[in-house]
Amino acid sequence: MTQLQHTRPVVAGLNQHSLVNLPRSIDTPNYDRSQLKAGIVHMGVGGFHRAHQAVYINELLKTPGAEQWGICGVGLLESNRGLRDILKQQDHLYTLTVRHPNGQIDHKVIGAMIDFLFAPENKQAVINKLAHSDTKIVSLTITEGGYNLNPATGEFDYSNPDIIHDINNPHDPITVFGYLTAALKLRKEQGLSAFTVQSCDNIQHNGNVTRNMLLAFASEQDKALSAWIAQYVAFPNAMVDRITPLSTQRDIDYVVDNYGVSDAWPITCEAFSQWVIEDTFSDGRPNWNTVGAQFVTDVTPYETMKIRLLNAGHSVLGLLGALHGYDTIDETISDPLFARYLRRFMDTEVTPLLAPLAGIDLENYKDTLIERFANPNIKDSLARICSESSAKLPKFIIATINENLAQGRDVSLAALIIAAWCFYCDKGVNEQGVALKMIDAMQAELHKQAAKTATQPLAFLAISSLFGDLKAQPAFTTAYLNNISALYTANSQIKAIMQAVIEQKSY
Ligand code: CS2
């Protein structure tokens, strides 16, 4: 008879009761969580929110007087059911393991979240929560793709079936726009003040985009409501930053071994964290500036710098590194050719477009980025970086290409990135023939167009919602076609192509 062998001792789960048993070196919430009110309702609770905004709030709650700024999470997707169960079982607590480049590790338990509502099970509860008088801010991390805009035109996409459903069924929403509108309508009817809608996604002018999209949606339902939203709801733009890899079994095991409790969805992230926010709020806000965030009147230059250097840099390493056969960002950037390619791209195709920023030394910012990417203790998978590239690249890289073309500047390093993306979508394997993960809302269309490349080399660029009229711009297509023909040569090697592009680049 074999008996079940436990490789690890059974440990208690993380929750409010087990907190007292944690080693003293762990930073646990030292505030009375039972006294917190949910002044913030957050839609889209993923790893990033839990490593960023919730951590700022956790710090703030350690000082008295901030009790009104607890967070209630909301999950809109069916796939959030498991998350709801985990958070509930853990009294909405979770561990945060911060890994510095030098090996230092900080252990924390974050207590800022006090409730979580799973929308598919009770839509009205979510609408009521959003319309509750305690709710002052509704924050969003719904990913770049969640804003429902056509990236090439910037217009709201009315053809999305979920949006059509929500416009016609105001009491049965599916999308974030349906929920926000239903709740704001209730607030207006009840004479409550409007909440702030605060985007925390990597989109240039994320507040303005959210405003434009919400107004486009609401005006289809109720013109008077849309005018009220335009007048009273604030949509601060913000730049958000903290590299947060997807959690793995390794992280779960690490928590058991080092915290002495089990956490079914722990977060691991880098030590660096930045949040620059425009100080325009409808009905008050936490003093985030006392815990490391920065309030400014215009966030535009910070956003551009971050999206065009960090996020774009990730995509450069992600797409090129994946084709070569690397798995993580730190592994990719430790290859000198990839580091050189990225730095050239940042220096010659991005930096000349960036406005100077008081107090920020761009050379130093780029050096820091390279160090952050190289952090050997953060295993950020290229699969995460390459996921949803159709929502990311228009903002991260194609915008840069368009601006360079408009100024008559060279785009050859960026052209290889787009060609590599096409090859990735077409073949779906790396140089060793190993399958690459493809997670993208536009997956079918990307593959369909990319697969025509061998016979119609510009077919991929015909996806006009992503590329606009790029295929009609010889200054781009000449470089793109060279790269396509190099990539589609039998036994091509991405490193040889990168080397050739660097050598031939005109400055
Ligand atoms: C990444 C971002 O998803 C991506 O492609 O570039 O998630 C990045 O890690 C964060 O924006 C860092 O702040």
Side-chain angles (χ1 to χ4, degrees):
M1 276 271 290
T2 49
Q3 271 200 319
L4 251 187
Q5 296 288 319
H6 287 288
T7 47
R8 295 172 174 278
V10 177
V11 293
L14 172 67
N15 57 35
Q16 193 65 40
H17 292 296
S18 59
L19 271 187
V20 286
N21 301 327
L22 263 52
R24 278 169 168 268
S25 57
I26 294 173
D27 175 15
T28 54
N30 61 355
Y31 44 89
D32 183 355
R33 295 181 71 230
S34 69
Q35 294 306 307
L36 304 182
K37 290 199 278 182
I40 299 174
V41 176
H42 185 79
M43 306 181 95
V45 177
F48 179 73
H49 168 71
R50 303 201 300 151
H52 193 260
Q53 182 179 0
V55 178
Y56 286 88
I57 291 289
N58 185 64
E59 289 310 307
L60 194 73
L61 293 172
K62 292 178 179 172
T63 52
E67 296 78 11
Q68 76 196 92
W69 295 116
I71 301 173
C72 171
V74 170
L76 294 184
L77 309 173
E78 185 51 48
S79 56
N80 297 143
R81 187 182 291 271
L83 168 60
R84 185 269 314 267
D85 295 343
I86 290 171
L87 288 173
K88 194 169 175 189
Q89 185 179 311
Q90 299 186 177
D91 295 327
H92 307 97
L93 293 165
Y94 60 92
T95 58
L96 181 87
T97 302
V98 179
R99 294 181 178 274
H100 298 248
N102 65 1
Q104 182 190 325
I105 304 177
D106 307 332
H107 296 124
K108 292 172 187 282
V109 173
I110 307 300
M113 196 176 301
I114 50 174
D115 199 2
F116 183 90
L117 302 177
F118 176 55
E121 215 162 68
N122 191 344
K123 297 184 177 194
Q124 195 55 46
V126 174
I127 297 172
N128 292 347
K129 187 74 189 175
L130 293 167
H132 194 283
S133 57
D134 284 350
T135 303
K136 309 286 182 200
I137 295 175
V138 178
S139 53
L140 313 173
T141 43
I142 53 174
T143 77
E144 294 78 15
Y147 289 82
N148 197 55
L149 79 167
N150 176 317
T153 62
E155 300 292 329
F156 192 68
D157 177 9
Y158 288 105
S159 67
N160 175 346
D162 288 349
I163 293 292
I164 296 172
H165 170 276
D166 277 10
I167 289 175
N168 296 314
N169 298 278
H171 302 294
D172 179 35
I174 306 174
T175 71
V176 76
F177 300 104
Y179 278 101
L180 290 174
T181 307
L184 286 163
K185 186 172 171 31
L186 257 185
R187 294 185 84 101
K188 177 173 176 269
E189 284 166 5
Q190 294 174 356
L192 286 172
S193 55
F195 48 63
T196 298
V197 180
Q198 183 171 29
S199 168
C200 300
D201 282 296
N202 292 309
I203 296 186
Q204 185 90 53
H205 311 313
N206 53 11
N208 300 352
V209 168
T210 313
R211 180 177 198 273
N212 293 341
M213 298 302 115
L214 184 62
L215 291 179
F217 175 89
S219 63
E220 285 296 302
Q221 263 189 0
D222 179 338
K223 292 259 180 306
L225 176 63
S226 143
W228 187 83
I229 295 174
Q231 187 170 1
Y232 296 110
V233 178
F235 297 85
N237 294 308
M239 179 265 247
V240 293
D241 192 6
R242 189 169 219 183
I243 294 174
T244 312
L246 296 175
S247 307
T248 64
Q249 185 61 41
R250 237 175 62 147
D251 300 306
I252 295 179
D253 294 343
Y254 178 86
V255 170
V256 171
D257 293 341
N258 293 276
Y259 291 67
V261 288
S262 67
D263 177 355
W265 192 19
I267 303 292
T268 297
C269 65
E270 64 169 342
F272 183 96
S273 185
Q274 193 174 15
W275 197 7
V276 187
I277 314 165
E278 280 178 10
D279 197 2
T280 46
F281 287 77
S282 315
D283 191 15
R285 51 129 174 105
N287 288 328
W288 277 307
N289 50 325
T290 61
V291 286
Q294 192 183 346
F295 285 114
V296 295
T297 47
D298 179 12
V299 82
T300 312
Y302 295 91
E303 289 176 327
T304 321
M305 174 182 79
K306 193 260 169 165
I307 293 171
R308 305 285 184 92
L309 289 170
L310 186 151
N311 296 111
H314 260 166
S315 296
V316 170
L317 297 173
L319 291 165
L320 300 178
L323 288 188
H324 178 69
Y326 288 137
D327 286 325
T328 61
I329 288 288
D330 67 303
E331 184 188 14
T332 309
I333 201 148
S334 69
D335 181 325
L337 178 62
F338 284 82
R340 192 145 64 94
Y341 197 93
L342 175 61
R343 188 68 196 223
R344 282 282 164 91
F345 170 71
M346 297 200 295
D347 288 346
T348 65
E349 295 188 14
V350 183
T351 307
L353 301 173
L354 298 177
L357 194 49
I360 301 252
D361 173 349
L362 271 182
E363 291 311 303
N364 181 263
Y365 183 78
K366 288 183 279 188
D367 291 344
T368 309
L369 281 188
I370 306 268
E371 275 165 36
R372 291 169 63 195
F373 290 167
N375 184 341
N377 309 307
I378 292 291
K379 298 293 172 203
D380 200 6
S381 70
L382 302 190
R384 177 184 89 84
I385 298 301
C386 295
S387 71
E388 304 302 345
S389 284
S390 67
K392 295 174 179 175
L393 297 202
K395 287 129 192 150
F396 298 175
I397 292 180
I398 300 169
T400 293
I401 296 176
N402 284 326
E403 283 176 30
N404 276 324
L405 289 174
Q407 296 183 18
R409 306 182 65 94
D410 183 63
V411 290
S412 48
L413 293 160
L416 174 59
I417 299 152
I418 303 298
W421 186 30
C422 170
F423 193 78
Y424 187 126
C425 296
D426 179 4
K427 306 292 180 195
V429 289
N430 68 20
E431 283 167 12
Q432 289 78 45
V434 177
L436 292 167
K437 273 215 178 98
M438 179 88 186
I439 305 162
D440 201 300
M442 288 183 67
Q443 181 164 347
E445 193 179 358
L446 290 170
H447 177 69
K448 182 170 152 238
Q449 287 306 116
K452 296 178 189 165
T453 305
T455 53
Q456 300 169 43
L458 288 178
F460 191 57
L461 301 184
I463 309 176
S464 59
S465 65
L466 299 177
F467 299 111
D469 75 340
L470 222 46
K471 74 172 192 309
Q473 304 217 43
F476 177 77
T477 54
T478 308
Y480 177 78
L481 288 171
N482 280 340
N483 293 317
I484 286 288
S485 78
L487 279 163
Y488 279 76
T489 303
N491 302 322
S492 66
Q493 304 258 314
I494 191 70
K495 286 183 69 169
I497 303 173
M498 288 164 63
Q499 184 71 48
V501 171
I502 292 179
E503 278 162 17
Q504 287 156 21
K505 184 169 171 66
S506 57
Y507 294 101

